[in-house]
Structure formats: structure tokens, C-alpha cells
Amino acid sequence: MSFDLPKQFVVFDLEWTAWEGSQQRQWSGLNEYREVYDIGAVLVEGEDFEIIDTYRQLVTFELTPTLPEYSQQLTGIIQADIDQNGILFSKALPAFDAFTRGHDLYNWGVGDPQAIAESCQLKNVSNPFEGRVHDIRPVFMQQGIPVEHYMSSTIVEYFGKENKRTAHQGLDDATNIVEALRLLQMSAS
């Protein structure tokens, strides 16, 4: 069962700046921006959801002075990681686009595409993903899974599995979604 997914596609997950309560305020606080700082993705092929390539890139800040403490506690990513391994968003986005090889992208929910769009707008960078990003949750919903109770980092728990990856890190969360697709495939067979 392919769940109406393409033969090859990309599953991605982002981390962006957050402060205590920023989600409830919809990032309307003073100097609160959803600035992308972690891009993780996997290129998936076939009905067995084989991962054929992975991508991870940390992104330096241009608007936010440093990674908020709240974000550091949530993700385990610290400012030193970004300082040592990050690149500018204007370089990270084209590199990520090259990794996707023109394939459609799938993610958990609507937050990540909004964060990309906002970062593009704030940093005057063209968004190469318009019209190519899809929410993966309907695939699970069509099989009766109550997705509102799960995140990309917890969806494997629906199938009785423990998340053994680092929650709230892009590549690990993207990989978790693919594992959940495999588990969904097995349960639907």
C-alpha cells in the first residue's frame, strides 16, 4: 500500500526559534521571530519507505541575537552548535532545495512551511518550496489515527514503539515520521 504517496519524496522537519509562550502568542512578542535554525530531511523511495539519503543543516541567526534558552532546552541544540556548524539561511535553503531533487516535500502539520515562508520573507530569500510542501498527517488520519494527539517526535508511540531518537531535532523527527509510515504500512497489510 503506497498511501497515495509518490515513488520518491522528501520528509522534512524544522526547528525554529521559540520562547516560553511564543506559540500561544503566535510569535507576536517583542523581537519574536520564527527563525529556522535546524533543517532535517530524508529522501524516501518505494512502498517500503526506504531512506536513500539524509540531510541536516544548522542555520545561523540573522534576526535573533542568540538561540533562546527555551529552544535550547527543547531541542538539545545549543548556541555553540550553531556557531560551529551553522550557515546563513540564504545558503541553507538552496542547499536543502538541491537535496530535494525537485521532489515533493512532506512534513507534520503546517508550522514548518509557515516558518520557511516567514524566514524567507524576513530575510528576503525566494521560497523554492511553494506548492511542493504537503502535510503528511492526512495519510495517518485516513487510517483512523488521531493525529491531534501526536507530533512528529511521538507518532511512533501510536504503534506501541518508543521514540529512541532525539525529539525536536529536524533529522531525527523526519526519520521518526518515516518509521511511523513503515509501521502504518505493516498495520494496514
Side-chain angles (χ1 to χ4, degrees), residues 4-6 8-14 16 36 39-41 89 93 96-97 100 102-118 120 126-139 177:
D4 294 324
L5 292 168
Q8 283 192 346
F9 60 96
V10 172
V11 175
F12 77 102
D13 189 87
L14 306 176
W16 62 82
V36 173
I39 303 171
F89 183 76
L93 207 59
F96 177 37
D97 187 29
T100 70
H103 293 297
D104 280 355
L105 291 85
Y106 291 82
N107 73 297
W108 191 268
V110 297
D112 288 347
Q114 290 172 347
I116 288 176
E118 287 174 25
C120 285
S126 177
N127 185 348
F129 305 117
E130 287 185 50
R132 293 175 43 206
V133 179
H134 311 280
D135 186 352
I136 196 80
R137 293 177 306 170
V139 171
I177 293 169

Side-chain angles (χ1 to χ4, degrees), residues 1-3 47 143 181-189:
M1 179 178 288
S2 67
F3 304 117
E47 290 188 12
Q143 301 301 313
L181 285 170
R182 289 181 189 139
L183 293 166
L184 182 64
Q185 175 90 326
M186 288 189 296
S187 70
S189 299

